[in-house]
C-alpha cells in the first residue's frame, strides 16, 4: 500500500505490468501481421477506461474498442489519440458530436451509413466504417448475403470500408466448437464477396476465447476483452485450451485488486442476529469487522452469507446481508484486526487469494459481470507489480 490510499476508504488497484503481460501473450499467439484491438467498454471491464487505454496505447495496441459515444468523448478528453472502433448503436446526433477520422464505426444499418456520410460531408473529410456481419449470433449485423450490398452502399456514400467484423455466439459456453466453425465459414463467404468491392478491408472476428483457441480466426485484427484483463472467458475455454495444449503456455495474470478499509470492529454475542433480515446468528461470541462497501459499489448482494474477504492474509467470511454501502465480515479467527486495516475483496493478500471467478460462482453469474459492475465511483490506482 502506498500514500495514495491514505485518504481512501476503498479503491481498486490495477496492475499495468499484468496488462502488459497479457497483451504480450496475445502478441505471441496471433500472426505477426494481426493487429490487437483492446476492448475497453464498460469502464475497461471495471479497470478504469483512461488508465487501461493509456497503458494499451503505450504498448502499441493498434485500436481501442468501445460501446458508445460517451466513451469516445472520455478518451478524447483524456488526450488519448489511439484509433477507436465504436461497436454499439449510436444516434445521428451522436455521430455529429463524436465521430472524427480517428473513430471508425461498426455499422449494421443504412441509417447510420447515411448519418456518417452527411457528417463526413460537413467535416470535408473521409470517414472509415467497419461492417458487422451476423453469422449466427442474431444480434447486431447484416446477413452474410447482404454484406456486399452494405459495402457498396458505404462506398456509394463516399465512406471508406475499413473493416469487416463478426462475433461468435458459442465459444465460451462449450468445448464443442461446431457452431463457431459454421459462423467462421459464413464470415469467410461474406469476406470474399466484400473484397470484390473493397479489397483493402481488415477482417476481424475473434474475441478473447477465439484468440486463445483458434488461429484460423486471427485475420487482420483480434478484439480482446476479458483475457486482456487476465481472465479466462470461461472454464470451458480453459478446458479447450488444456485439451489442445496441455498445461503449458498461457498464464494470464488478473490485473485488478479491490481493497477497503475496516470502519469498525465489534463483538456480538452468540445468538444475536446480524444485518437486515436477521439472516445470520453466530453460535459463538463473534468479532466482526464492518467494511464501507456494498452492492452500490458492485459487491453483489447475492454474496450475502457466502463470500469471504481477506484480512491480514486470512479469510474472513461475509456474514449477514450485503447492504448498499456496508458489508460485515467475521474476524473472530483473525487476530488483531483494527479500524483502518485493509481488507481485500478481490485479489491476493499474502498466500490467500479471492478470485473474480470465485465471487462470480457464488453470486450465480460470470466473471465479466462482476468486473463490469464495479462502480466507476471507486478510485482506480495504477500500480506496478
Ligand atoms: C465485448 C466484445 C468483445 C470482447 O469479448 P471478450 O470475450 O471479453 O474478449 C469482442 N467483440 C465485441 C463485438 C464485443 O462486444
Amino acid at each position: 500500500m502506498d500514500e495514495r490510499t491514505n485518504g481512501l476508504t476503498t479503491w481498486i488497484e490495477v496492475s499495468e505490468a499484468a496488462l502488459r503481460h497479457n497483451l504480450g501473450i496475445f502478441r505471441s499467439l496471433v500472426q505477426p501481421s494481426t493487429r490487437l484491438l483492446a476492448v475497453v467498454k464498460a469502464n475497461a471491464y471495471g479497470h478504469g477506461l483512461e488508465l487501461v487505454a493509456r497503458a494499451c496505447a503505450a504498448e502499441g495496441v493498434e485500436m481501442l474498442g468501445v460501446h458508445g459515444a460517451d466513451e469516445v468523448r472520455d478518451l478524447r478528453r483524456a488526450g488519448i489519440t489511439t484509433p477507436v472502433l465504436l461497436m454499439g448503436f449510436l444516434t445521428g446526433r451522436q455521430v455529429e458530436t463524436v465521430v472524427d477520422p480517428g473513430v471508425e464505426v461498426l455499422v449494421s444499418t443504412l441509417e447510420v451509413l447515411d448519418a456518417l456520410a452527411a457528417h463526413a460531408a460537413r467535416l470535408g473529410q473521409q470517414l472509415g466504417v467497419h461492417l458487422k456481419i451476423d453469422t449466427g449470433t442474431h444480434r447486431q449485423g447484416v446477413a452474410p448475403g447482404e454484406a456486399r450490398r452494405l459495402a457498396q452502399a458505404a462506398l456509394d456514400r463516399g465512406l471508406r470500408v475499413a473493416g469487416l467484423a463478426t462475433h461468435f455466439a458459442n465459444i465460451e459456453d462449450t468445448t464443442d466448437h461446431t457452431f463457431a466453425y459454421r459462423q467462421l465459414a459464413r464470415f469467410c463467404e461474406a469476406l470474399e464477396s466484400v473484397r470484390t468491392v473493397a479489397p483493402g478491408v481488415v477482417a476481424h472476428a475473434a474475441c478473447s476465447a477465439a484468440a486463445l483457441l483458434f488461429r484460423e480466426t486471427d485475420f487482420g485484427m483480434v478484439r480482446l476483452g476479458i483475457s486482456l484483463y487476465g481472465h479466462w472467458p470461461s472454464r470451458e475455454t480453459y478446458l479447450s485450451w488444456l485439451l489442445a495444449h496441455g498445461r503449458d503456455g498461457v498464464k494470464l495474470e488478473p490485473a485488478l485488486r479491490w481493497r477497503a478499509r475496516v470502519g469498525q470492529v465489534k463483538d456480538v454475542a452468540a445468538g444475536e442476529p446480524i444485518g437486515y433480515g436477521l439472516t445470520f446468528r453466530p453460535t459463538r461470541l463473534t468479532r466482526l469487522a464492518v467494511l464501507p462497501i456494498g452492492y452500490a459499489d458492485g459487491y453483489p448482494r447475492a454474496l450475502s452469507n457466502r463470500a469471504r474477504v481477506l484480512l491480514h492474509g486470512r479469510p474472513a467470511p461475509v456474514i449477514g446481508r450485503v447492504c448498499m454501502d456496508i458489508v460485515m465480515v467475521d474476524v473472530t479467527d483473525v487476530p488483531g484486526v483494527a479500524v483502518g486495516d485493509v481488507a481485500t475483496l478481490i485479489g491476493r493478500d499474502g498466500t490467500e487469494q479471492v478470485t473474480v471467478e470465485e465471487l462470480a460462482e457464488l453470486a450465480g453469474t460470470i466473471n465479466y459481470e462482476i468486473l463490469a459492475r464495479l462502480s466507476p465511483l471507486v478510485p482506480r490506482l495504477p500500480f506496478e507489480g
Side-chain angles (χ1 to χ4, degrees), residues 102-118:
V103 179
E104 295 176 349
V105 179
L106 186 54
V107 178
S108 311
T109 65
L110 291 177
E111 285 80 357
V112 174
L113 283 184
D114 284 336
L116 286 165

Side-chain angles (χ1 to χ4, degrees), residues 39 41 45 87 139 167 172 207-208 223 225-226 368:
V39 180
K41 67 193 181 196
Y45 289 52
M87 304 190 296
R139 209 169 67 167
H167 194 56
E172 292 86 352
C207 53
S208 295
R223 306 186 303 264
I226 194 87
Y368 291 74

Side-chain angles (χ1 to χ4, degrees), residues 114-127:
D114 284 336
L116 286 165
H119 185 54
R122 258 189 314 268
L123 291 176
Q125 285 176 299
Q126 197 180 39
L127 296 174

Side-chain angles (χ1 to χ4, degrees), residues 15 46 71 85 204 315 321 340:
S15 164
E71 298 163 295
L85 181 66
H204 48 103
R321 291 235 177 102

